[in-house]
Amino acid sequence: MHSSPFDLAPQALATSRSAAHTLRRLGQAGLFRLSLPSEHGGLDAPVGDLAAALAGLRATHPAAARLALAQLGAIQALLLGDNVALREFRLPALVAGERAAVLAGGPPGPALEGLPSAPVWRISGLLPGLANLSGDGFSLIARARLGDTLGWVCLDSETDGLDVLPPHPSGDAALARQAGLGDVRCRRVLFRVDEWLGEDSLTPALQAFQAQIAASASTTCSSPV
């Protein structure tokens, strides 16, 4: 039976100064390597090991669990996507917890809308209720419609026109700060073709991964994230 190497004492997270600091601690502790395939430097651990680690975070540090789920979803999107160059560029930093990322849901949630602005596209829309929106920078993986094509894009927070707004409705201010919670607004964000992950056929596999994690974690911890 596989023995999970993930072991992070609750007090280590309790002293975290920010969402970015918490993310780095989770990366250093090996959380994001658990279910990652070995060819990408991971441990090929059963998804149950990952779910158990997340359940432990839910119980001891809900904010860390929120940003961990966001990071794991983004990592999975890069693994499943068609853009090998983007995967090789972004994946190592995400797995190490050195860069934040979030997967912005999927149906029935909203998709961003691309507007042609020859010779490029400009993407606009509002994505509410996201986590792991680090002030140090993050990658946003979201569904977007470009003309007749619906698929997934990866946008960087450093791009002009990508704004982080306070979460609405507002709630626990400490949780929002520690988990990097907020809404993301895109205002004609420049989209480059090298930021395209793949068409909407990715969606069922991403939803299945998230559901599997949630179902496994709920068997060991009933506290909501």
Side-chain angles (χ1 to χ4, degrees):
M1 180 176 178
H2 181 86
S3 177
S4 170
F6 178 74
D7 184 15
L8 185 61
Q11 58 267 28
L13 292 178
T15 60
S16 291
R17 297 180 293 273
S18 64
H21 189 248
T22 297
L23 188 72
R24 285 193 292 271
R25 287 186 175 239
L26 294 176
Q28 291 164 0
L31 177 64
F32 306 123
R33 296 180 62 223
L34 279 180
S35 64
L36 193 71
S38 57
E39 60 264 34
H40 297 293
L43 300 172
D44 276 324
V47 71
D49 283 8
L50 180 58
L54 288 172
L57 284 178
R58 288 170 185 253
T60 59
H61 200 299
R66 286 292 297 267
L67 60 86
L69 285 168
Q71 190 84 351
L72 287 164
I75 289 171
Q76 191 69 12
L78 287 175
L79 289 174
L80 293 172
D82 300 328
N83 194 328
V84 176
L86 185 60
R87 179 192 310 146
E88 293 179 347
F89 174 58
R90 283 295 183 206
L91 193 61
L94 266 58
V95 172
E98 295 172 354
R99 181 174 177 83
V102 57
L103 177 68
L112 300 173
E113 291 291 336
L115 302 174
S117 178
V120 297
W121 290 85
R122 296 281 181 173
I123 292 182
S124 298
L126 178 67
L127 298 171
L130 302 184
N132 208 22
L133 306 178
S134 173
D136 292 350
F138 63 90
S139 295
L140 169 69
I141 296 179
R143 293 169 77 236
R145 187 180 302 278
L146 305 180
D148 295 330
T149 302
L150 181 63
W152 291 85
V153 299
C154 181
L155 306 175
D156 290 338
S157 63
E158 296 86 350
T159 306
D160 290 342
L162 198 155
D163 306 320
V164 176
L165 310 176
H168 181 79
S170 59
D172 185 329
L175 176 66
R177 182 181 65 256
Q178 293 169 0
L181 301 183
D183 300 341
V184 171
R185 179 179 62 193
C186 294
R187 298 178 292 107
R188 295 180 56 82
V189 174
L190 176 66
F191 169 74
R192 306 188 306 268
V193 293
D194 59 355
E195 297 170 325
W196 180 254
L197 281 181
E199 296 192 3
D200 203 38
S201 55
L202 288 175
T203 301
L206 292 174
Q207 289 179 314
F209 173 79
Q210 292 176 312
Q212 189 176 22
I213 292 296
S216 298
S218 66
T219 64
T220 53
C221 178
S222 59
S223 174
V225 172

